[in-house]
Amino acid sequence: MREGRQAVCDSIEESLAKLKTGYIDLLLIHWPVKDCVKQTWQVMEEYVRRGLVMSIGVSNFNRHHLDDLLSYAEIRPVINQIEVHPLMTQEENIAYNRELGIQVEAWGPFGQGDIDVVGHPLLQSLARKYQKSASQIVLRWIVQRDLITIPRAKPSHFAENMKIMTFSLSDEDMQAISGLNQNLRSNVLNDPETFPW
């Protein structure tokens, strides 16, 4: 079994080979796995300096994870990919990332598992009001918060998702959606503080 630094190097080299390209646009650390982040980040920085990776970032990092990373990082993460949906708004985490100049990318915008975000009565009501789907309402709420989003979608949803740029939600409706927050993760295993590594 590969360990530590060599495992990271091998993984990046394998990705480069599979992609059949001379560089990777963006490489992320997927979880803040204790005792693994520093070495992984330093290897990723080396690949940036060598021109084999253009940008590096993180996923699922909370404030203290970012503080720890920034205590030794020579290259600041360009992005932090975190779970964001109307029942998990992540206001404080987003604000801290912005303060640090790190772009936030929202994963799981519709919730997952037992969480049915788009079926919420408020979102259904707003869908009727704006003559859009509840999914479009959620995606528009995310985009109006100046976040990037990555919804899982079937090809038939692509055109619908692109139409979120044809309307805007009122400030009142934005606040109403944000007011749904319950700090509810789509899966208890998705909590970076207790992720079972």
Side-chain angles (χ1 to χ4, degrees):
M1 181 176 171
R2 300 172 303 176
E3 292 188 14
R5 175 185 168 75
Q6 190 58 50
V8 179
C9 292
D10 289 349
S11 177
I12 296 171
E13 293 293 340
E14 184 179 336
S15 293
L16 285 163
K18 285 181 178 178
L19 291 168
K20 298 179 182 174
T21 182
Y23 65 92
I24 296 170
D25 287 313
L26 176 63
L27 195 60
L28 305 178
I29 294 179
H30 194 60
W31 287 98
V33 179
K34 189 175 180 173
D35 301 324
C36 294
V37 173
K38 184 173 183 177
Q39 187 173 57
T40 301
W41 191 259
Q42 289 172 335
V43 171
M44 289 166 57
E45 287 180 324
E46 288 176 24
Y47 275 80
V48 170
R49 286 191 282 274
R50 290 172 53 196
L52 297 172
V53 173
M54 297 298 108
S55 297
I56 52 179
V58 295
S59 293
N60 304 299
F61 274 48
N62 290 331
R63 182 181 187 130
H64 71 95
H65 301 121
L66 291 170
D67 288 343
D68 184 57
L69 173 68
L70 293 173
S71 71
Y72 54 79
E74 295 178 15
I75 300 173
R76 184 178 297 265
V78 297
I79 199 162
N80 187 5
Q81 187 183 83
I82 59 175
E83 181 177 6
V84 177
H85 51 74
L87 303 178
M88 181 75 182
T89 60
Q90 297 255 32
E91 300 288 346
E92 290 180 17
N93 199 356
I94 291 168
Y96 192 59
N97 277 271
R98 285 190 174 133
E99 186 181 316
L100 295 173
I102 300 171
Q103 175 65 50
V104 172
E105 181 174 10
W107 68 260
F110 308 130
Q112 297 176 359
D114 295 333
I115 296 179
D116 178 19
V117 170
V118 295
H120 192 283
L122 172 66
L123 295 168
Q124 291 293 317
S125 173
L126 291 173
R128 289 188 293 276
K129 173 181 175 180
Y130 287 92
Q131 298 183 329
K132 302 292 180 185
S133 70
S135 297
Q136 287 174 310
I137 298 297
V138 170
L139 294 179
R140 185 65 209 179
W141 169 77
I142 290 172
V143 169
Q144 275 185 230
R145 293 176 70 199
D146 294 324
L147 306 177
I148 297 168
T149 188
I150 50 169
R152 288 185 182 175
K154 298 176 183 175
S156 60
H157 296 150
F158 294 157
E160 179 181 312
N161 290 349
M162 293 305 295
K163 290 180 183 171
I164 66 168
M165 306 311 284
T166 64
F167 74 104
S168 294
L169 297 168
S170 70
D171 290 343
E172 180 181 54
D173 291 336
M174 287 288 293
Q175 291 171 6
I177 296 169
S178 294
L180 296 176
N181 183 50
Q182 299 172 29
N183 295 319
L184 186 62
R185 293 188 180 278
S186 60
N187 185 322
V188 293
L189 297 179
N190 290 338
D191 187 342
E193 300 305 321
T194 58
F195 196 78
W197 286 100

